[in-house]
Structure formats: C-alpha cells, structure tokens
Amino acid sequence: MSDAIQITRLPSGLTVVTERMDRVETVSFGAYVGTGSRYEEAEENGVSHFLEHMAFKGTERRTAAQIAEEIEAVGGHINAYTAREQTAYYVKVLKEDTALAADIIGDILTHSTFEPEELERERGVILQEIGQANDTPDDIIFDHFQEAAYPTQPLGRSVLGTEDGIRNMPRTVLTGYMRRHYQAGNAVVAAAGKLEHQQILDLVQQHFADLPQDQAPAMLPGNYGGGEFREERDLDQVHIVLGFPSIGYGDPDYYPTLLLSTLLGGGMSSRLFQEVREKRGLVYSVYSFTAPFMDGGLFGIYAGTGESEAEELMPVTLEELRKVCTGVNEGELARARAQVKASLLMSLESTGSRSEQLARQIQVFGRVVPTQETVGKLNAVTVEDVCRAATRHFRGTPTLATLGPISRVPTLADIADKLAA
C-alpha cells in the first residue's frame, strides 16, 4: 500500500482512511455507510434513499438552507447517493475548508432532526423522482430487470421504493432504520486530497463521536431466480435488458468478467457495438454491464431498438454471446484491458473518485487494494479466462426485461432454448 494512504480504526469501530495527494489543492471528504436497499424489509422499502434525502434537511444546529449556504459560501460541493449496498454522503472543498466539510458531514449523520414539515416536503420530492423514473423507460427498465432477476426479495426491489410505500412511510421508520444501521462499525470515513491523516482523525473524532456503537443488522441474502418482465407501452423504441447470474467482488473470475463485459459491449470497438449498430444498424444504444454485489451479481446487456428491428436484434445478440464463449483474440483482449486500466488510472486523479474507491475497498475487501495489484490481475487475464467466464455466465438461467412496443421481442423461454441449442 502506498505511503500516502493511511488507515485507522477508532475504538468506536469507525474506520478512517485517507490518501494524501500533494498535487491538488482540494479535499474530498465522505462518510460511506454499509447499508442500502438490500438491507430493507418489504414494509420499509425506499427508507435508505429517503434517509439520504432527509440528511440535508436540517440538524440541531443548521437548517436545510444553512447546510447549503455554508458549503457554497466556500465554493464547495455537497451530495449523496443511495445504492443497494451502500449510502454515501460526501463533499469537496478547498483544502483550507476541510474542517467545515467534516463538521457538516458529521452533523447530518449524527444530529439530523427530521422535522415533520421538511419530511413531508421531501416526501413529495421523492414521489416526483419516482414519477420521473417511471417516465424514463431507459432508466426504469433496469429496476424491472433487477426485480425479475431477484423476485420477492430485497435485492430485487427499487432503491427509490414504491409510490405507496413512500407516501405512507412514517417518520418513525426513518429514525428507527437510521438508529439501527448508521453504526460506527458499519461506516467508513474516507478523505483524499491535500490533507494530513492526523488532521482528518482529529476532525472525525470531534464530529462523529455521537455515532451509535451497536452491531448493525446483517444484509439480507440475495437469491438469483431469473424471470421475465414485459410491458407493452406506446413508445418509439423497445427497451431491452437481457441478463444472467454473475459473480461477486471476491470471485476468481471477477477480472475476466470485467474484461468480458468490456470487449463484448464496453465501447465503440466492442463486438456488440460493431455487429449490432455499425454493421446492421439495429440500435442507437447497445452495451453490456456488470453489477457485482457482496455475494453474487448480474451480467447484463441493454439495447434500445425500433419495433421493426426488435425481431432481428435478439438472434444477432445471442449469436455474439455464443461466439465469445468459443473464441477471443489477443487484440480485442488487449483493447479491453487498456480501456479498463485507463479508466482505473484516470480515476486516481480525482479526489472524489479516490475517496469513494478507498471506502468501498475497505467495505468489500477489508483493506485498500494497491493499484499495482489490480493492474497485475488485469494483465494476468488470458483469452482462455475470458472464454471460461463467458461460458460460465451465458449457460446460466437468463432474465429478460422489455418495455415498449414488445410484440416482436422473443420470450424468455425462446431465448433460453436458443442459448441451450
């Protein structure tokens, strides 16, 4: 591990990780809590995201307006996001304003008040967000895909929650969930930029002292089921996601799978882009993706196509999946490797990206993974490794989600039969 990176686990259980970046004049500071939508019970679906919104709506010392004003008065940026396994709160400021960043993030995590008036106002905002997602087919299709892949379980539910659930969620659900999950031992504070580790430690001990120190609930397990979602809607395009059960972060095939996704559908030179868009003109957008979790994952392909092109699209796509199982050439593997390595190394230049990486690596692996270790694992992947990963994935039970004028999209049963042939 680089000398610039330091890690301290405080007696409370809170982990603090920093990376000093001498060539910048800024600091990114964030708190990354190990909870998200897959930790929610059915009746509290959407609470993690609701909490993220409410964190900026006032504390015992600051109103919602004061939180925004204090950060913007120094030219800083504050934001947050909710994922299935993590909720993050982060700010980027000039190095001389690091103390303010730690003060505000610590304040919203430990002293948010959830004033009833603010809560009702933000409830309306989230309902608008859900409505916007439902009106954005190339966005909402991924929620339908996730639900079909993990039916009737937390990992399959929307991060946003449902309209009925959010509309009826009482304040006590938010405060109770925060009290159970926002524990010192379940969080990582990460900072990157022009900083000193001891400075960050002192600030964290001052501003995060009131985080509870109980044991946070364990995540609810994910059990891939596979399934099909189809919705006829009056749209110009059919939106399709075809996917398969995949692997988690710690699987030996993690890096072969990452390179498989890149060479199959990760750029303009990828197989799917060249065959489906450039040669046949069947789509405007087509790409593949990996979604790893702590205990499994998903591998998927998204395409947006016209109603008349939908019938041809799927056989062509399935043929590309079959081909990649039996042969990959060194040239395309080298291009995929270069893309992934470049993305990794470029992200090291961003204080925000780096602080997020540090926190996530500690939460997933229990340590910071040296960049050269990752590069070495990418360099070690062979064409045989990629073909093995492809075979492992595309022989799994598929999941299909499709939205729009869907009459010419094959059924899941048809797709499964063609893949097995």
Side-chain angles (χ1 to χ4, degrees):
M1 187 171 68
S2 167
D3 292 340
I5 300 173
Q6 295 189 58
I7 304 171
T8 300
R9 187 175 178 87
L10 298 174
S12 66
L14 182 64
T15 300
V16 181
V17 56
T18 67
E19 181 168 6
R20 181 169 177 81
M21 301 168 69
D22 288 322
R23 295 186 179 181
V24 302
E25 296 298 322
T26 61
V27 170
S28 289
F29 181 101
Y32 300 83
V33 186
T35 191
S37 60
R38 72 171 302 181
Y39 290 77
E40 301 167 352
E41 300 290 349
E43 62 274 11
E44 58 188 14
N45 179 216
V47 66
S48 300
H49 177 251
F50 204 155
L51 270 177
E52 174 225 309
H53 274 244
M54 286 304 300
F56 298 103
K57 299 307 169 184
T59 70
E60 294 170 7
R61 292 192 289 126
R62 295 177 170 94
T63 65
Q66 286 171 333
I67 292 172
E69 288 167 359
E70 287 188 38
I71 284 294
E72 293 185 357
V74 298
H77 305 280
I78 190 168
N79 213 333
Y81 67 80
T82 307
R84 288 185 163 84
E85 295 181 337
Q86 183 187 61
T87 307
Y89 305 85
Y90 55 95
V91 63
K92 184 171 184 176
V93 293
L94 298 176
K95 66 180 186 297
E96 55 265 30
D97 300 309
T98 302
L100 175 64
D103 182 0
I104 288 183
I105 296 296
D107 196 22
I108 65 178
L109 257 67
T110 58
H111 297 111
S112 287
T113 53
F114 304 101
E115 293 294 336
E117 184 178 336
E118 289 287 353
L119 190 145
E120 292 309 314
R121 186 179 294 116
E122 207 57 29
R123 190 193 309 275
V125 171
I126 295 172
L127 290 171
Q128 291 289 336
E129 186 176 359
I130 293 172
Q132 179 175 305
N134 288 332
D135 287 344
T136 310
D138 57 346
D139 182 0
I140 198 65
I141 190 66
F142 290 95
D143 276 355
H144 295 314
F145 168 71
Q146 186 87 16
E147 185 175 9
Y150 293 97
T152 64
Q153 55 189 297
L155 196 51
R157 298 187 191 117
S158 168
V159 171
L160 299 180
T162 65
E163 290 187 4
D164 285 345
I166 296 302
R167 188 174 286 113
N168 297 311
M169 187 174 290
R171 180 180 182 275
T172 52
V173 169
L174 278 79
T175 56
Y177 187 91
M178 190 173 198
R179 179 62 181 82
R180 294 193 305 275
H181 291 267
Y182 281 52
Q183 302 290 333
N186 196 37
V188 175
V189 172
K194 197 71 167 284
L195 54 78
E196 296 294 340
H197 184 71
Q198 188 60 51
Q199 171 202 19
I200 301 298
L201 268 184
D202 292 343
L203 289 170
V204 170
Q205 288 174 310
Q206 177 182 353
H207 296 297
F208 289 77
D210 290 339
L211 269 180
Q213 298 178 30
D214 298 329
Q215 183 70 36
M219 70 179 181
L220 301 170
N223 181 26
Y224 178 90
E228 182 172 16
F229 171 87
R230 301 176 75 92
E231 181 181 327
E232 180 74 31
R233 193 184 287 189
D234 184 15
L235 300 171
D236 290 335
Q237 277 202 314
V238 187
H239 299 272
I240 302 169
V241 180
L242 173 66
F244 303 86
S246 188
I247 57 178
Y249 294 100
D251 192 281
D253 276 339
Y254 176 78
Y255 290 102
T257 300
L258 194 59
L259 294 177
L260 166 66
S261 179
T262 303
L263 70 86
L264 181 64
M268 293 175 64
S269 65
S270 67
R271 290 189 177 194
L272 286 172
F273 192 94
Q274 284 295 312
E275 185 66 31
V276 176
R277 172 170 161 157
E278 296 297 279
K279 292 183 181 178
R280 298 175 185 261
L282 295 175
V283 300
Y284 173 72
S285 177
V286 61
Y287 57 85
S288 59
F289 62 91
T290 59
F293 304 119
M294 298 288 281
D295 57 349
L298 294 169
F299 187 105
I301 297 136
Y302 165 83
T305 188
E307 181 178 8
S308 59
E309 290 83 6
E311 192 170 3
E312 183 183 355
L313 170 66
M314 194 57 70
V316 172
T317 301
L318 297 179
E319 181 60 24
E320 291 304 314
L321 301 189
R322 280 191 289 267
K323 285 180 181 178
V324 80
C325 291
T326 57
V328 170
N329 65 60
E330 294 286 356
E332 62 182 341
L333 176 56
R335 284 196 303 273
R337 184 183 289 119
Q339 285 178 261
V340 174
K341 286 165 60 175
S343 177
L344 168 66
L345 297 174
M346 289 176 184
S347 71
L348 300 180
E349 299 174 2
S350 163
T351 58
S353 295
R354 193 58 184 142
S355 62
E356 182 175 357
Q357 288 173 8
L358 295 170
R360 190 62 180 149
Q361 288 176 356
I362 287 176
Q363 288 174 324
V364 172
F365 303 111
R367 66 187 180 100
V368 173
V369 180
T371 301
Q372 287 310 309
E373 179 181 328
T374 301
V375 170
K377 289 181 177 179
L378 289 168
N379 287 337
V381 175
T382 65
V383 293
E384 291 80 12
D385 293 333
V386 174
C387 291
R388 183 188 67 249
T391 301
R392 178 180 178 184
H393 282 80
F394 304 144
R395 286 183 179 171
T397 302
T399 291
L400 176 68
T402 181
L403 174 66
I406 62 174
S407 61
R408 299 190 185 185
V409 179
T411 67
L412 182 63
D414 290 337
I415 290 170
D417 287 345
K418 286 182 172 64
L419 282 169

